[in-house]
Amino acid sequence: MDIKVSASLLGADLSEPGAEAVRAKNSGADWIHYDVMDGKFVENISFGSEIQKAIVKKDKFFMDTHLMVSRPDKQLEFFIKSGSDLITFHIESESDADHTVNILHRAGLDAGIALKPSTPAEYVYPFLEKIELVLVMTVEPGYGGQGFLNYTLPKIKQIREKADELRPSLMIEVDGGINSETAPLVKKAGADVLVSGSYLFGAENMREAIQKLKA
């Protein structure tokens, strides 16, 4: 598969998230990664659906929404209406995964399931034929700017191998500490969607930074 880059707004200038999303798209980012934190599933609190709706009005983006919330099934409707194209929720959340995936598919959206760094790959195997994407967290969820956790690499490889048996079109996304040094590691393991925030938005030339991730 072609490598996609999803620019995480957590690493952007948050005084102007819409302008930053436009800058990322114009620099070659394929998706805009939108992290939602509820202060319960993770300690931090980030963006809500109304901010996403305002960002989407700025331009046409592929909105890659990542729900780090305790009850994603209760939040889906807000983010379906605010312009998400893909919504990823955590297997460790309190929501029934099959039910949550069904809601997303009925709404015409792609569905993804995320795993924390310590969650075994096997937890997502029963859903691989039902979803479009698995997100492997390569840092602990809840904060931007963390260092990459190398012990997540075998899990990416395990999921890729299992997906090749059951659903070869499945995308594997990685999120956390992705830069020009770690990108080759996750791509070799089987990832094809790279989320990057601080590395991209802090780069002197974002277009060149994105090209390095894809190279």
Side-chain angles (χ1 to χ4, degrees):
M1 294 183 181
D2 292 336
I3 298 298
K4 290 182 169 57
V5 170
S6 190
S8 174
L9 291 180
L10 272 187
D13 177 355
L14 297 183
S15 68
E16 296 185 295
E20 288 283 73
V22 171
R23 180 164 76 95
K25 179 185 175 181
N26 290 344
S27 297
D30 302 283
W31 297 356
I32 300 299
H33 192 78
Y34 191 78
D35 285 308
V36 180
M37 307 177 193
D38 64 354
K40 184 179 179 183
F41 183 77
V42 294
E43 293 180 352
N44 209 352
I45 295 174
S46 60
F47 313 115
S49 59
E50 291 301 313
I51 295 175
Q52 180 172 276
K53 188 184 295 184
I55 291 169
V56 168
K57 288 180 180 178
K58 290 283 187 180
D59 204 338
K60 183 174 176 59
F61 306 108
F62 185 96
M63 293 301 295
D64 171 25
T65 304
H66 177 197
L67 299 183
M68 289 175 271
V69 302
S70 294
R71 287 296 304 270
D73 58 338
K74 301 294 186 183
Q75 297 290 320
L76 293 181
E77 193 65 27
F78 298 113
F79 292 95
I80 290 168
K81 291 180 178 178
S82 65
S84 298
D85 295 285
L86 161 72
I87 295 181
T88 300
F89 65 95
H90 274 264
I91 195 69
E92 308 91 352
S93 74
E94 298 173 18
S95 297
D96 178 81
D98 275 316
H99 175 63
T100 306
V101 168
N102 288 339
I103 293 172
L104 291 170
H105 285 165
R106 285 198 299 268
L109 271 68
D110 288 342
I113 293 181
L115 293 83
K116 293 181 179 181
S118 59
T119 302
E122 291 80 7
Y123 278 43
V124 79
Y125 288 177
F127 307 99
L128 293 182
E129 294 181 274
K130 307 173 186 177
I131 59 178
E132 285 70 44
L133 177 142
V134 172
L135 168 56
V136 176
M137 293 298 298
T138 47
V139 298
E140 290 297 333
Y143 299 93
Q146 298 180 62
F148 180 84
L149 298 173
N150 283 280
Y151 70 80
T152 59
L153 289 168
K155 180 162 61 176
I156 298 168
K157 185 177 181 181
Q158 289 172 336
I159 295 171
R160 179 75 274 160
E161 289 174 349
K162 192 67 174 179
D164 285 345
E165 294 176 18
L166 300 175
R167 189 183 178 99
S169 64
L170 182 91
M171 294 178 284
I172 297 179
E173 184 174 47
V174 290
D175 183 3
I178 302 301
N179 54 40
S180 59
E181 295 179 358
T182 57
L185 303 178
V186 296
K187 288 188 289 186
K188 183 178 180 181
D192 39 40
V193 182
L194 312 185
V195 177
S196 185
S198 304
Y199 170 72
L200 293 186
F201 287 100
E204 289 187 12
N205 187 317
M206 188 187 290
R207 181 173 293 277
E208 288 183 3
I210 289 171
Q211 290 171 348
K212 286 180 180 179
L213 294 185
K214 292 189 173 190

